Amino acid sequence: GRRSRAGTRSGAPPTAFAVKQELLVRNEVARLAQETRFSKAEIETLLEQWGGAVDGQITKEQFAAGLAEIGVDDELVVEQQFAAFDDDRSGTVDFREYIRAMSVLKHGTQEERLELIFKSYDLDGSGTLDRDEVYAIYRTALLYNGDNVDAAHDTILQEVDAVFAQCDADGDGAIDFDEFKQGVEKNAILAQCFIECPI
């Protein structure tokens, strides 16, 4: 049979602490299964890949190192992706944040994915995208496609102007989520970067 995580390698009975930890893990897995579109088995598999600790956290540096292993090393892309996962803006990603974001990426509706993408580009957490953040969307898309970002600077600025002209419905100089969503739906905002970029 399969040995419980709370058991010991020597076959000795688990300690009270180990039993309590196992119960906490089971409760957290059950809670996350209710809150997300992952099954308990999927969450347990992801937890094992995470290192087994539901209270474990990773820093932005660890997150960046993981992305570097799959070939993503641009600082802006790392920042954007970390922002999408770090829901509470604490500077770390915990297992709950990781599972919630992964659930949206794997099983979320189009609107949920757009919300996560919006959050990834809202680097200052203001709830809106300013001109610099929209510029970053286009810059990231060009980087991902292997284009020369420096050579395209003026073109990107023109695209940013066009996005604000078409999407900033209330004229406040910022794009909120509803304006962003409408812009993507109308293809006024570069929709392919959200499909092609690794998020």
Side-chain angles (χ1 to χ4, degrees):
R2 201 173 138 189
R3 182 176 55 83
S4 166
R5 279 186 224 136
T8 61
R9 290 193 174 153
S10 65
T15 64
F17 176 77
V19 170
K20 185 177 179 181
Q21 286 299 106
E22 179 70 17
L23 184 59
L24 288 172
V25 168
R26 284 189 197 156
N27 288 340
E28 185 63 23
V29 167
R31 187 170 69 84
L32 286 168
Q34 289 177 340
E35 293 176 2
T36 67
R37 292 183 178 97
F38 281 126
S39 69
K40 286 181 184 179
E42 288 173 312
I43 293 171
E44 287 172 351
T45 298
L46 290 168
L47 180 59
E48 286 178 27
Q49 292 170 356
W50 184 261
V54 285
D55 58 351
Q57 298 180 346
I58 60 170
T59 64
K60 189 183 301 182
E61 292 75 24
Q62 291 168 313
F63 190 85
L67 287 179
E69 288 182 21
I70 60 169
V72 178
D73 58 5
D74 180 73
E75 286 181 38
L76 178 60
V77 175
V78 170
E79 182 76 25
Q80 290 166 336
Q81 302 223 355
F82 189 80
F85 281 76
D86 185 16
D87 193 44
D88 62 3
R89 305 285 182 167
S90 66
T92 61
V93 173
D94 64 32
F95 183 68
R96 291 161 198 86
E97 290 171 319
Y98 172 72
I99 289 297
R100 288 183 187 118
M102 291 301 292
S103 176
V104 168
L105 291 174
K106 186 167 180 167
H107 302 293
T109 64
Q110 181 177 349
E111 175 131 352
E112 289 169 331
R113 288 184 183 134
L114 278 178
E115 287 173 1
L116 186 65
I117 291 165
F118 180 84
K119 190 169 70 172
S120 78
Y121 288 116
D122 179 19
L123 295 176
D124 63 6
S126 66
T128 61
L129 300 179
D130 61 27
R131 296 182 79 75
D132 289 340
E133 290 166 327
V134 173
Y135 183 95
I137 293 171
Y138 285 87
R139 180 185 177 279
T140 301
L142 289 173
L143 281 171
Y144 185 72
N145 291 325
D147 295 332
N148 183 334
V149 173
D150 293 330
H153 175 74
D154 291 338
T155 303
I156 296 172
L157 288 176
Q158 291 171 1
E159 291 293 335
V160 171
D161 289 341
V163 165
F164 274 83
Q166 294 177 44
C167 300
D168 185 14
D170 59 10
D172 66 352
I175 296 175
D176 64 25
F177 177 70
D178 289 332
E179 292 168 329
F180 173 80
K181 184 174 119 178
Q182 290 171 4
V184 170
E185 289 169 354
K186 295 187 300 188
N187 286 324
I189 296 178
L190 187 65
Q192 70 261 26
C193 75
F194 306 121
I195 296 164
E196 295 173 4
C197 284
I199 182 167

